Amino acid sequence: MNANTFGHSLSITTFGESHGQAIGVVIDGLESGFTIDTEHLKEQMDRRRPGKNPLGTSRDESDEVTILSGVFEGKTTGAPLAIIIENKHHRSEDYSQISRLFRPGHADYTWHKKFGIRDWRGGGRSSGRETAARVAAGAIAMQILNAKGIEIIAYCIQIGNIIATKRDLHVIRLHPAQAPDEEAAIKMEIEINEAKKACDSIGGIVECLVTGVPAGLGEPVFDKLEALLAHAILSIGATKGIEFGEGFKAASMRGSQHNDQMDDSGFLSNHAGGINGGISNGQPILFRTAVKPTASISLPQKTLDISGNIRDIVVEGRHDPCICPRIVPVVEAMTALTILDTWYRWYGRNGA
Ligand SMILES: Cc1cc2nc3c(=O)[nH]c(=O)nc-3n(C[C@H](O)[C@H](O)[C@H](O)COP(=O)(O)O)c2cc1C
């Protein structure tokens, strides 16, 4: 298996399985002399960690981060920064009944076909747990970006058919649904709990806003900023699509409606979502990602076992009825890693 590494001038390599001893990440290419804010790092981990959000799985991991290298006297040294997060609250016996069955919608069948062996305990490496390592790395990238005046915030704008119509960013963390609209957040919570009661799951849309990005990040041909962000976001399990600015709505617009005109005060609109020609234009970057309903549901479904026999399956275990609220910090993390990577490519590590 390859491609466990993401990034160019700044890269992360993640390792570990959901029910193994630990998961972790090696961050390579960080600038030196940066003081890591461990409180902020813990806060980001808590936003993703299972057991913390009442709308998520009941697996209760402490997700304590241990930094093994790359930091001296609280500051990054520029050497590889390795982090491990121990797995403490796993219950592999919950998964034994599906060790020979392919869960519909999950990665079991494709992993079996590709590798001939899979760690079925909690989904192994295809588990959402792998993203804890990304959040740890992303939190450090985000702190470095914050110091450069760049802010990244993600939030749920849709769960099932409930759509947030407001963008009150200060209310996002007040409700477990992580929506920027209090009224919608309460309805989203009900929607998720109803899906859970029905032994089913539900999907949604997460939006991400990046402010303070200077014009000039992203490479204009194959490494367009949109392409890099799409790679980052679509590498998160359960994401099924991404759109920038007006996104798919642009297909039904005229050029006169979609173009962002300019005068001497700058751009007069932001239909492009902050990127033209693959390069940031200095406006806020705005994108949305569609998140599918969680594959693991406890309704009876049809599937095959590894010998090819038709079987019924009811997926037991502790699963998120909706992945959206927990994916929010993962989207922020992957965005931070991508933006900081493009920054280092353009300005250098310890430069401007
Ligand atoms: C934070 C997070 C939590 C997740 N929790 C679950 C879960 O509880 N149950 C599940 O079946 N899938 C969960 N997933 C999604 C699976 O990892 C994903 O569906 C699976 O790897 C198959 O990949 P695909 O959906 O991209 O095809 C989670 C993903 C993330 C990012």
Side-chain angles (χ1 to χ4, degrees), residues 69-82:
S69 64
V71 176
F72 183 62
E73 293 177 340
K75 287 188 163 62
T76 57
T77 60
L81 194 154

Side-chain angles (χ1 to χ4, degrees), residues 256-332:
S256 54
Q257 296 169 307
H258 189 268
N259 290 344
D260 296 314
Q261 299 184 49
M262 302 182 79
D263 69 11
D264 54 7
S265 68
F267 288 98
L268 302 180
S269 56
N270 188 14
H271 299 295
I275 305 170
N276 294 114
I279 302 168
S280 61
N281 64 19
Q283 293 228 83
I285 292 172
L286 188 71
F287 67 84
R288 287 170 289 281
T289 183
V291 181
K292 76 181 196 184
T294 318
S296 302
I297 55 171
S298 47
L299 285 174
Q301 300 177 89
K302 281 261 170 289
T303 191
L304 292 179
D305 66 20
I306 55 174
S307 308
N309 304 305
I310 301 171
R311 300 277 303 271
D312 290 321
I313 185 171
V314 172
V315 181
E316 310 282 355
R318 299 161 298 174
H319 296 281
D320 294 295
C322 180
I323 295 166
C324 289
R326 291 189 57 221
I327 224 172
V328 162
V330 186
V331 167
E332 290 178 355

